[in-house]
Amino acid sequence: FSSPVVVVSRTARRTESLGPRRARVSSVAMSEVEATLQRINGHKGVLGTIIVNEDGEAVRATTVCDKNGVPVADQNAVVKQMADLLPALASMARNMVRDLDPSNDLRFLRIRSKDHEIMVHADTEFTLIVIQNPAAAE
Amino acid sequence: WLAQPTGTGKTSATRCSSSVEMSEVEATLQRINGHKGVLGTIIVNEEGEAVRATTLCDASGAPVEDQSGAVAKFSSLVPQLASMARNMVRDLDPQNDLRFLRVRSRDHEMMVHADPEFTLIVIQNPAAAE
């Protein structure tokens, strides 16, 4: 994640087309993003957080741990897998919500499995994925 | 309760023919449906047919006009999404399995428990439930 990244929030959308100003405007947004990620990741039971951009690339990820709190061996692979699979599933969920009612829209998706719970907020610009251990969180 | 193993591999139709089990199912459905904010509950069998459904309401509590159509839509779409979610969970870790799925939309929240034998769908108004 060392390449320059612009996290485009709704309020900063216009800056996407500007060249040299990109770094100045995005530094404020970046620190907010980092602070938010750290805040989320600090919650009890959170095993990892990943932000995926609209191209399907993970632009931010905290260390992903398993349910015992041990960092997963192959971080890049896990992050890449989640970045590939979860936006696709969120997209299917959005389609299903719209099939049921065209005026409705997806807000949030929670997938609870045996080992952990994955929470997904899917936006057109980015996807936020938070993995938590539901037992610890409760 | 629906998924209690009989040990004989009976079909779901045979399993559900027990009047004791049926009353437990009905009681459970009514209990769930009685929770504040619940707009409807649907049970879908493994063939994708809705075998039990309470009256579906919209966010304001008014029954949806086309009950059969709405139930049929939920029955066909929701198990498919649950199946995709299960596949995704297994792709991430083959030893893991899906337990529960919650889809929160602007108007309501769907909670899905998917089993090989049945799918339980509960629709609630998240604002009322909170």
Side-chain angles (χ1 to χ4, degrees):
Chain A
F1 310 118
S2 58
S3 58
V5 165
V6 175
V7 176
V8 182
S9 70
R10 286 193 180 80
T11 55
R13 200 181 307 212
R14 287 183 300 110
T15 65
E16 200 172 353
S17 59
L18 303 173
R21 287 195 230 172
R22 188 190 297 178
R24 187 177 74 233
V25 175
S26 74
S27 65
V28 173
M30 292 284 261
S31 62
E32 285 181 22
V33 168
E34 293 293 344
T36 302
L37 270 191
Q38 291 307 321
R39 180 173 57 81
I40 293 171
N41 207 46
H43 281 297
K44 187 176 176 185
V46 173
L47 304 174
T49 42
I50 303 169
I51 299 181
V52 185
N53 67 7
E54 63 249 6
D55 297 325
E57 301 159 349
V59 295
R60 278 291 176 274
T62 60
T63 306
V64 178
C65 302
D66 64 17
K67 60 184 173 182
N68 303 316
V70 175
V72 168
D74 191 354
Q75 287 285 316
N76 287 338
V78 165
V79 167
K80 184 168 188 318
Q81 244 190 331
M82 295 215 164
D84 289 339
L85 294 171
L86 283 159
L89 186 70
S91 192
M92 291 175 204
R94 172 174 280 118
N95 291 342
M96 185 204 74
V97 166
R98 287 186 170 157
D99 283 346
L100 289 168
D101 178 2
S103 61
N104 203 359
D105 196 11
L106 179 72
R107 284 279 180 271
F108 204 70
L109 185 61
R110 287 169 91 127
I111 303 143
R112 182 157 177 163
S113 66
K114 197 178 64 180
D115 295 339
H116 46 61
E117 184 173 22
I118 303 171
M119 298 177 288
V120 185
H121 172 88
D123 205 76
T124 44
E125 298 165 349
F126 70 95
T127 302
L128 173 65
I129 301 161
V130 178
I131 309 139
Q132 71 172 357
N133 179 348
E138 284 161 8
Chain B
W1 29 276
L2 266 187
Q4 284 166 13
T6 61
T8 58
K10 289 181 184 175
T11 63
S12 60
T14 311
R15 204 164 25 238
C16 286
S17 66
S18 154
S19 60
V20 172
E21 288 172 0
M22 292 287 262
S23 64
E24 284 181 22
V25 169
E26 293 292 343
T28 303
L29 269 191
Q30 292 306 319
R31 179 174 57 81
I32 292 172
N33 207 45
H35 282 296
K36 187 177 177 186
V38 173
L39 305 174
T41 41
I42 304 170
I43 300 180
V44 185
N45 68 7
E46 64 251 9
E47 284 141 27
E49 302 160 346
V51 295
R52 279 286 177 281
T54 60
T55 307
L56 299 185
C57 301
D58 63 19
S60 50
V64 166
E65 281 178 16
D66 184 7
Q67 287 285 315
S68 310
V71 169
K73 265 205 249 186
F74 276 100
S75 307
S76 60
L77 293 171
V78 175
Q80 284 177 27
L81 184 73
S83 191
M84 292 174 201
R86 171 174 279 116
N87 291 342
M88 187 212 72
V89 164
R90 288 186 168 156
D91 284 345
L92 288 170
D93 179 3
Q95 295 174 345
N96 203 1
D97 197 10
L98 179 72
R99 282 278 181 271
F100 203 70
L101 182 63
R102 288 169 90 127
V103 182
R104 181 160 178 162
S105 67
R106 195 192 59 209
D107 297 341
H108 48 64
E109 184 173 22
M110 268 175 280
M111 296 176 291
V112 186
H113 173 89
D115 210 72
E117 295 155 10
F118 71 96
T119 302
L120 173 64
I121 305 163
V122 178
I123 307 143
Q124 71 172 357
N125 180 350
E130 286 160 8

